[in-house]
Amino acid sequence: MDPDLIRIASDRLTATVSPLGAEMQSLRTAGGADLLWHGDPAWWSGRAPILFPIVGKAPGDRIAVGDHEADMRQHGFARRSRFALDAQGADSCRHVLRDSAETRALYPFAFELAVGHALAGDRLSVSVEIANRDPKPMPFGFGFHPAFAWPLPGAGGAPHEIRLDNGAEPPMARLQDGLLPPDRPPSPFAAGRLVLAPEQFEADAMIFPEGAGDGLRYGVPGGPELAFSFENLPNLALWTIPGAPYLCVEPWHGMAAATGASPQIAERPFSLSLAPGDTARFAWHVTAHL
């Protein structure tokens, strides 16, 4: 176990956070039930990675900013970077990643990426602030990638659902070779409701570029559920490996590069740009109803 692992707690939940990627490692009820996926590498070693400065893949795993080009793996470098502990309390902590010679060789900007985790009763909040410390505009994408137990504790074999708060039937996208094609398969939602099944993920993630709204519920109606809300995160993905005991609920602001696109970060779907000195904020919250 990482000796720098930070533990925070409320009267209803406990969480641990690693400085590697500022990634949450566990989220448990007071009774010890695991809500977060435990990262078994036989399926997928991630738990809740932070995606920056890109979400998804780049063409040929190469990104560009103007004339600068560099190799960049899927979802960027933040998830493999060691953050510094900036603040810690009984129920919250904050980690910060600042640019270095290593990051600037890949992504030529001075920046600060701060990740906060906080617990209050049966609610977890994860917030991020990204600041441009550079003298030039900074294009980027950002996303969260948390994975939750499927089935949830106490749910047994009951079918799990995603229910969108806005009751929409958002258009879906499926990646091809890791990139975003122009076609949109029919939405799997009916009046905001999607009954989950492993075979839905045989073609990889279900991605909803627009229209999924800023809140949803995951779990068993009338039984164990997690209620989510999102801030400044217009894109949604649902992902697992068919048969794996987890579901990723991924709110993003930014997506994989479009099929046939250039490697320029600024041209990626839903990319952002921060002016020098500006800051962007993103957050997700989850309340456990068990």
Tab-separated table of all heavy atoms in Angstrom, residues 237-284:
chain	number	residue	atom	x	y	z
A	237	ALA	N	-19.906	9.104	-20.747
A	237	ALA	CA	-19.620	7.763	-21.258
A	237	ALA	C	-19.927	6.741	-20.181
A	237	ALA	O	-19.765	7.004	-18.982
A	237	ALA	CB	-18.160	7.647	-21.688
A	238	LEU	N	-20.390	5.587	-20.618
A	238	LEU	CA	-20.590	4.419	-19.759
A	238	LEU	C	-19.711	3.321	-20.317
A	238	LEU	O	-19.744	3.050	-21.525
A	238	LEU	CB	-22.058	3.980	-19.770
A	238	LEU	CG	-23.083	5.038	-19.382
A	238	LEU	CD1	-24.499	4.514	-19.617
A	238	LEU	CD2	-22.912	5.467	-17.923
A	239	TRP	N	-18.919	2.674	-19.441
A	239	TRP	CA	-17.981	1.679	-19.958
A	239	TRP	C	-17.709	0.598	-18.927
A	239	TRP	O	-17.642	0.847	-17.722
A	239	TRP	CB	-16.649	2.332	-20.335
A	239	TRP	CG	-15.613	1.315	-20.753
A	239	TRP	CD1	-15.559	0.630	-21.929
A	239	TRP	CD2	-14.501	0.864	-19.973
A	239	TRP	NE1	-14.478	-0.222	-21.930
A	239	TRP	CE2	-13.816	-0.109	-20.753
A	239	TRP	CE3	-14.011	1.168	-18.693
A	239	TRP	CZ2	-12.661	-0.762	-20.282
A	239	TRP	CZ3	-12.868	0.513	-18.225
A	239	TRP	CH2	-12.218	-0.443	-19.025
A	240	THR	N	-17.556	-0.612	-19.442
A	240	THR	CA	-17.000	-1.731	-18.697
A	240	THR	C	-16.481	-2.734	-19.715
A	240	THR	O	-16.694	-2.591	-20.921
A	240	THR	CB	-18.041	-2.383	-17.767
A	240	THR	OG1	-17.391	-3.343	-16.916
A	240	THR	CG2	-19.135	-3.095	-18.573
A	241	ILE	N	-15.781	-3.718	-19.246
A	241	ILE	CA	-15.439	-4.880	-20.057
A	241	ILE	C	-16.558	-5.891	-19.841
A	241	ILE	O	-16.918	-6.166	-18.691
A	241	ILE	CB	-14.079	-5.460	-19.637
A	241	ILE	CG1	-12.965	-4.438	-19.916
A	241	ILE	CG2	-13.798	-6.779	-20.358
A	241	ILE	CD1	-11.622	-4.833	-19.332
A	242	PRO	N	-17.164	-6.434	-20.899
A	242	PRO	CA	-18.291	-7.349	-20.703
A	242	PRO	C	-17.974	-8.451	-19.696
A	242	PRO	O	-16.972	-9.150	-19.825
A	242	PRO	CB	-18.525	-7.913	-22.102
A	242	PRO	CG	-18.071	-6.834	-23.025
A	242	PRO	CD	-16.875	-6.222	-22.342
A	243	GLY	N	-18.801	-8.550	-18.675
A	243	GLY	CA	-18.619	-9.553	-17.626
A	243	GLY	C	-17.859	-9.060	-16.421
A	243	GLY	O	-17.835	-9.737	-15.382
A	244	ALA	N	-17.210	-7.897	-16.514
A	244	ALA	CA	-16.461	-7.361	-15.377
A	244	ALA	C	-17.422	-6.819	-14.318
A	244	ALA	O	-18.504	-6.318	-14.649
A	244	ALA	CB	-15.521	-6.260	-15.834
A	245	PRO	N	-17.032	-6.871	-13.030
A	245	PRO	CA	-17.945	-6.448	-11.965
A	245	PRO	C	-17.842	-4.963	-11.637
A	245	PRO	O	-17.758	-4.565	-10.483
A	245	PRO	CB	-17.513	-7.320	-10.785
A	245	PRO	CG	-16.058	-7.556	-11.015
A	245	PRO	CD	-15.858	-7.590	-12.495
A	246	TYR	N	-17.821	-4.119	-12.643
A	246	TYR	CA	-17.801	-2.677	-12.413
A	246	TYR	C	-18.468	-1.972	-13.588
A	246	TYR	O	-18.592	-2.512	-14.690
A	246	TYR	CB	-16.376	-2.138	-12.230
A	246	TYR	CG	-15.494	-2.258	-13.459
A	246	TYR	CD1	-15.553	-1.299	-14.468
A	246	TYR	CD2	-14.619	-3.317	-13.607
A	246	TYR	CE1	-14.757	-1.407	-15.606
A	246	TYR	CE2	-13.829	-3.433	-14.727
A	246	TYR	CZ	-13.905	-2.467	-15.721
A	246	TYR	OH	-13.117	-2.586	-16.844
A	247	LEU	N	-18.876	-0.725	-13.332
A	247	LEU	CA	-19.377	0.161	-14.380
A	247	LEU	C	-18.730	1.521	-14.187
A	247	LEU	O	-18.782	2.084	-13.084
A	247	LEU	CB	-20.898	0.309	-14.308
A	247	LEU	CG	-21.465	1.269	-15.364
A	247	LEU	CD1	-21.493	0.603	-16.737
A	247	LEU	CD2	-22.857	1.758	-14.978
A	248	CYS	N	-18.135	2.043	-15.248
A	248	CYS	CA	-17.588	3.395	-15.216
A	248	CYS	C	-18.661	4.383	-15.641
A	248	CYS	O	-19.288	4.216	-16.690
A	248	CYS	CB	-16.384	3.520	-16.148
A	248	CYS	SG	-14.940	2.595	-15.588
A	249	VAL	N	-18.870	5.381	-14.809
A	249	VAL	CA	-19.765	6.500	-15.115
A	249	VAL	C	-18.849	7.700	-15.313
A	249	VAL	O	-18.308	8.239	-14.343
A	249	VAL	CB	-20.775	6.744	-13.981
A	249	VAL	CG1	-21.662	7.944	-14.288
A	249	VAL	CG2	-21.621	5.495	-13.753
A	250	GLU	N	-18.659	8.129	-16.572
A	250	GLU	CA	-17.589	9.050	-16.916
A	250	GLU	C	-18.135	10.370	-17.472
A	250	GLU	O	-18.551	10.439	-18.623
A	250	GLU	CB	-16.676	8.425	-17.966
A	250	GLU	CG	-16.122	7.060	-17.585
A	250	GLU	CD	-15.258	6.474	-18.691
A	250	GLU	OE1	-14.493	7.235	-19.329
A	250	GLU	OE2	-15.366	5.263	-18.941
A	251	PRO	N	-18.125	11.426	-16.671
A	251	PRO	CA	-18.482	12.745	-17.195
A	251	PRO	C	-17.235	13.464	-17.719
A	251	PRO	O	-16.189	13.480	-17.058
A	251	PRO	CB	-19.064	13.452	-15.968
A	251	PRO	CG	-18.333	12.840	-14.806
A	251	PRO	CD	-17.986	11.426	-15.196
A	252	TRP	N	-17.346	14.047	-18.893
A	252	TRP	CA	-16.199	14.670	-19.567
A	252	TRP	C	-16.545	16.069	-20.055
A	252	TRP	O	-17.709	16.403	-20.255
A	252	TRP	CB	-15.786	13.878	-20.806
A	252	TRP	CG	-15.456	12.448	-20.661
A	252	TRP	CD1	-14.993	11.795	-19.558
A	252	TRP	CD2	-15.521	11.454	-21.703
A	252	TRP	NE1	-14.773	10.455	-19.847
A	252	TRP	CE2	-15.090	10.230	-21.158
A	252	TRP	CE3	-15.906	11.488	-23.053
A	252	TRP	CZ2	-15.033	9.050	-21.912
A	252	TRP	CZ3	-15.855	10.329	-23.800
A	252	TRP	CH2	-15.418	9.124	-23.240
A	253	HIS	N	-15.475	16.826	-20.344
A	253	HIS	CA	-15.565	18.024	-21.199
A	253	HIS	C	-14.424	17.889	-22.207
A	253	HIS	O	-13.327	18.377	-22.010
A	253	HIS	CB	-15.436	19.317	-20.413
A	253	HIS	CG	-16.036	20.497	-21.130
A	253	HIS	ND1	-15.799	20.764	-22.467
A	253	HIS	CD2	-16.883	21.471	-20.694
A	253	HIS	CE1	-16.447	21.859	-22.816
A	253	HIS	NE2	-17.128	22.298	-21.767
A	254	GLY	N	-14.711	17.177	-23.294
A	254	GLY	CA	-13.695	16.805	-24.268
A	254	GLY	C	-13.869	15.346	-24.620
A	254	GLY	O	-14.408	14.571	-23.820
A	255	MET	N	-13.423	14.990	-25.830
A	255	MET	CA	-13.632	13.624	-26.297
A	255	MET	C	-12.446	13.177	-27.130
A	255	MET	O	-11.516	13.956	-27.412
A	255	MET	CB	-14.917	13.554	-27.133
A	255	MET	CG	-16.146	14.034	-26.386
A	255	MET	SD	-17.658	13.790	-27.312
A	255	MET	CE	-17.771	12.024	-27.243
A	256	ALA	N	-12.469	11.909	-27.531
A	256	ALA	CA	-11.452	11.395	-28.435
A	256	ALA	C	-11.471	12.199	-29.732
A	256	ALA	O	-12.485	12.787	-30.113
A	256	ALA	CB	-11.704	9.917	-28.731
A	257	ALA	N	-10.331	12.221	-30.411
A	257	ALA	CA	-10.252	12.915	-31.693
A	257	ALA	C	-11.207	12.271	-32.693
A	257	ALA	O	-11.474	11.067	-32.643
A	257	ALA	CB	-8.825	12.876	-32.222
A	258	ALA	N	-11.725	13.081	-33.588
A	258	ALA	CA	-12.604	12.575	-34.632
A	258	ALA	C	-11.817	11.790	-35.666
A	258	ALA	O	-10.633	12.057	-35.921
A	258	ALA	CB	-13.335	13.734	-35.299
A	259	THR	N	-12.453	10.792	-36.259
A	259	THR	CA	-11.830	10.008	-37.325
A	259	THR	C	-11.372	10.951	-38.441
A	259	THR	O	-12.131	11.801	-38.911
A	259	THR	CB	-12.827	8.986	-37.887
A	259	THR	OG1	-13.249	8.123	-36.822
A	259	THR	CG2	-12.196	8.151	-38.987
A	260	GLY	N	-10.118	10.813	-38.868
A	260	GLY	CA	-9.578	11.633	-39.937
A	260	GLY	C	-9.106	13.008	-39.521
A	260	GLY	O	-8.658	13.794	-40.364
A	261	ALA	N	-9.169	13.323	-38.219
A	261	ALA	CA	-8.792	14.651	-37.741
A	261	ALA	C	-7.281	14.792	-37.608
A	261	ALA	O	-6.537	13.805	-37.577
A	261	ALA	CB	-9.454	14.933	-36.402
A	262	SER	N	-6.841	16.019	-37.491
A	262	SER	CA	-5.434	16.312	-37.230
A	262	SER	C	-5.131	16.020	-35.762
A	262	SER	O	-6.043	15.844	-34.946
A	262	SER	CB	-5.132	17.775	-37.541
A	262	SER	OG	-5.491	18.591	-36.434
A	263	PRO	N	-3.855	16.011	-35.369
A	263	PRO	CA	-3.523	15.793	-33.957
A	263	PRO	C	-3.688	17.025	-33.078
A	263	PRO	O	-3.424	16.952	-31.870
A	263	PRO	CB	-2.052	15.358	-34.014
A	263	PRO	CG	-1.507	15.997	-35.247
A	263	PRO	CD	-2.647	16.003	-36.230
A	264	GLN	N	-4.143	18.144	-33.621
A	264	GLN	CA	-4.261	19.368	-32.838
A	264	GLN	C	-5.287	19.217	-31.709
A	264	GLN	O	-6.445	18.865	-31.952
A	264	GLN	CB	-4.670	20.536	-33.744
A	264	GLN	CG	-3.639	20.944	-34.773
A	264	GLN	CD	-2.447	21.662	-34.155
A	264	GLN	OE1	-2.535	22.237	-33.061
A	264	GLN	NE2	-1.325	21.622	-34.858
A	265	ILE	N	-4.875	19.492	-30.478
A	265	ILE	CA	-5.784	19.405	-29.338
A	265	ILE	C	-6.965	20.358	-29.523
A	265	ILE	O	-8.114	20.021	-29.197
A	265	ILE	CB	-5.040	19.704	-28.022
A	265	ILE	CG1	-4.075	18.557	-27.678
A	265	ILE	CG2	-6.022	19.904	-26.870
A	265	ILE	CD1	-3.276	18.784	-26.417
A	266	ALA	N	-6.710	21.538	-30.051
A	266	ALA	CA	-7.751	22.549	-30.204
A	266	ALA	C	-8.865	22.111	-31.147
A	266	ALA	O	-9.971	22.661	-31.101
A	266	ALA	CB	-7.146	23.856	-30.684
A	267	GLU	N	-8.613	21.122	-32.006
A	267	GLU	CA	-9.606	20.666	-32.969
A	267	GLU	C	-10.411	19.465	-32.471
A	267	GLU	O	-11.315	19.004	-33.167
A	267	GLU	CB	-8.923	20.332	-34.298
A	267	GLU	CG	-8.261	21.529	-34.959
A	267	GLU	CD	-7.536	21.172	-36.241
A	267	GLU	OE1	-7.691	20.020	-36.720
A	267	GLU	OE2	-6.809	22.031	-36.763
A	268	ARG	N	-10.113	18.978	-31.284
A	268	ARG	CA	-10.840	17.827	-30.768
A	268	ARG	C	-12.254	18.223	-30.342
A	268	ARG	O	-12.486	19.355	-29.893
A	268	ARG	CB	-10.089	17.222	-29.566
A	268	ARG	CG	-8.720	16.666	-29.930
A	268	ARG	CD	-7.910	16.362	-28.681
A	268	ARG	NE	-8.431	15.228	-27.961
A	268	ARG	CZ	-8.033	13.964	-28.121
A	268	ARG	NH1	-7.099	13.682	-29.012
A	268	ARG	NH2	-8.550	12.994	-27.407
A	269	PRO	N	-13.230	17.325	-30.467
A	269	PRO	CA	-14.601	17.658	-30.070
A	269	PRO	C	-14.684	18.091	-28.604
A	269	PRO	O	-14.099	17.452	-27.729
A	269	PRO	CB	-15.364	16.355	-30.301
A	269	PRO	CG	-14.553	15.605	-31.317
A	269	PRO	CD	-13.131	15.968	-31.037
A	270	PHE	N	-15.375	19.192	-28.369
A	270	PHE	CA	-15.628	19.727	-27.032
A	270	PHE	C	-14.346	20.139	-26.300
A	270	PHE	O	-14.327	20.191	-25.074
A	270	PHE	CB	-16.432	18.738	-26.180
A	270	PHE	CG	-17.817	18.502	-26.689
A	270	PHE	CD1	-18.087	17.452	-27.558
A	270	PHE	CD2	-18.858	19.339	-26.334
A	270	PHE	CE1	-19.367	17.238	-28.057
A	270	PHE	CE2	-20.138	19.137	-26.825
A	270	PHE	CZ	-20.401	18.088	-27.689
A	271	SER	N	-13.263	20.412	-27.041
A	271	SER	CA	-12.054	20.898	-26.391
A	271	SER	C	-12.297	22.291	-25.817
A	271	SER	O	-13.199	23.027	-26.243
A	271	SER	CB	-10.879	20.919	-27.365
A	271	SER	OG	-11.089	21.894	-28.370
A	272	LEU	N	-11.493	22.659	-24.858
A	272	LEU	CA	-11.572	23.951	-24.189
A	272	LEU	C	-10.287	24.723	-24.433
A	272	LEU	O	-9.252	24.141	-24.789
A	272	LEU	CB	-11.768	23.750	-22.682
A	272	LEU	CG	-13.089	23.118	-22.259
A	272	LEU	CD1	-12.915	22.412	-20.924
A	272	LEU	CD2	-14.162	24.175	-22.146
A	273	SER	N	-10.327	26.016	-24.173
A	273	SER	CA	-9.119	26.829	-24.229
A	273	SER	C	-9.179	27.847	-23.109
A	273	SER	O	-10.192	28.543	-22.945
A	273	SER	CB	-8.983	27.535	-25.577
A	273	SER	OG	-7.780	28.283	-25.630
A	274	LEU	N	-8.112	27.915	-22.320
A	274	LEU	CA	-8.024	28.877	-21.224
A	274	LEU	C	-7.093	30.010	-21.616
A	274	LEU	O	-5.965	29.773	-22.055
A	274	LEU	CB	-7.490	28.204	-19.970
A	274	LEU	CG	-8.465	27.434	-19.081
A	274	LEU	CD1	-7.714	26.813	-17.909
A	274	LEU	CD2	-9.575	28.346	-18.578
A	275	ALA	N	-7.546	31.228	-21.439
A	275	ALA	CA	-6.683	32.381	-21.642
A	275	ALA	C	-5.644	32.440	-20.521
A	275	ALA	O	-5.848	31.877	-19.442
A	275	ALA	CB	-7.525	33.657	-21.659
A	276	PRO	N	-4.520	33.104	-20.759
A	276	PRO	CA	-3.505	33.231	-19.700
A	276	PRO	C	-4.106	33.778	-18.405
A	276	PRO	O	-4.855	34.760	-18.413
A	276	PRO	CB	-2.500	34.212	-20.310
A	276	PRO	CG	-2.623	34.004	-21.787
A	276	PRO	CD	-4.081	33.729	-22.018
A	277	GLY	N	-3.836	33.081	-17.314
A	277	GLY	CA	-4.331	33.498	-16.008
A	277	GLY	C	-5.708	32.999	-15.651
A	277	GLY	O	-6.139	33.144	-14.496
A	278	ASP	N	-6.426	32.404	-16.594
A	278	ASP	CA	-7.783	31.938	-16.320
A	278	ASP	C	-7.800	30.548	-15.688
A	278	ASP	O	-6.826	29.779	-15.801
A	278	ASP	CB	-8.621	31.926	-17.594
A	278	ASP	CG	-9.148	33.299	-17.957
A	278	ASP	OD1	-8.877	34.259	-17.196
A	278	ASP	OD2	-9.816	33.424	-19.001
A	279	THR	N	-8.936	30.216	-15.074
A	279	THR	CA	-9.130	28.929	-14.391
A	279	THR	C	-10.467	28.331	-14.813
A	279	THR	O	-11.458	29.054	-14.960
A	279	THR	CB	-9.103	29.111	-12.865
A	279	THR	OG1	-7.832	29.651	-12.472
A	279	THR	CG2	-9.310	27.779	-12.142
A	280	ALA	N	-10.497	27.023	-14.998
A	280	ALA	CA	-11.735	26.298	-15.275
A	280	ALA	C	-12.006	25.343	-14.119
A	280	ALA	O	-11.070	24.771	-13.536
A	280	ALA	CB	-11.637	25.525	-16.576
A	281	ARG	N	-13.284	25.147	-13.792
A	281	ARG	CA	-13.658	24.261	-12.694
A	281	ARG	C	-14.616	23.193	-13.194
A	281	ARG	O	-15.510	23.465	-13.997
A	281	ARG	CB	-14.311	25.049	-11.552
A	281	ARG	CG	-14.606	24.184	-10.313
A	281	ARG	CD	-15.238	24.995	-9.190
A	281	ARG	NE	-15.361	24.214	-7.973
A	281	ARG	CZ	-16.343	23.376	-7.701
A	281	ARG	NH1	-17.332	23.198	-8.582
A	281	ARG	NH2	-16.373	22.703	-6.553
A	282	PHE	N	-14.439	21.975	-12.684
A	282	PHE	CA	-15.270	20.830	-13.014
A	282	PHE	C	-15.539	20.065	-11.718
A	282	PHE	O	-14.702	20.052	-10.812
A	282	PHE	CB	-14.565	19.911	-14.002
A	282	PHE	CG	-13.962	20.606	-15.184
A	282	PHE	CD1	-12.674	21.110	-15.141
A	282	PHE	CD2	-14.701	20.786	-16.346
A	282	PHE	CE1	-12.123	21.765	-16.223
A	282	PHE	CE2	-14.162	21.432	-17.438
A	282	PHE	CZ	-12.877	21.932	-17.371
A	283	ALA	N	-16.669	19.391	-11.621
A	283	ALA	CA	-16.949	18.613	-10.415
A	283	ALA	C	-17.997	17.547	-10.684
A	283	ALA	O	-18.835	17.697	-11.582
A	283	ALA	CB	-17.426	19.524	-9.285
A	284	TRP	N	-17.916	16.475	-9.914
A	284	TRP	CA	-19.005	15.507	-9.853
A	284	TRP	C	-19.272	15.181	-8.394
A	284	TRP	O	-18.384	15.279	-7.548
A	284	TRP	CB	-18.723	14.255	-10.682
A	284	TRP	CG	-17.585	13.382	-10.241
A	284	TRP	CD1	-16.269	13.516	-10.577
A	284	TRP	CD2	-17.672	12.209	-9.416
A	284	TRP	NE1	-15.527	12.510	-10.011
A	284	TRP	CE2	-16.348	11.697	-9.300
A	284	TRP	CE3	-18.719	11.546	-8.775
A	284	TRP	CZ2	-16.059	10.534	-8.562
A	284	TRP	CZ3	-18.435	10.401	-8.027
A	284	TRP	CH2	-17.118	9.927	-7.930
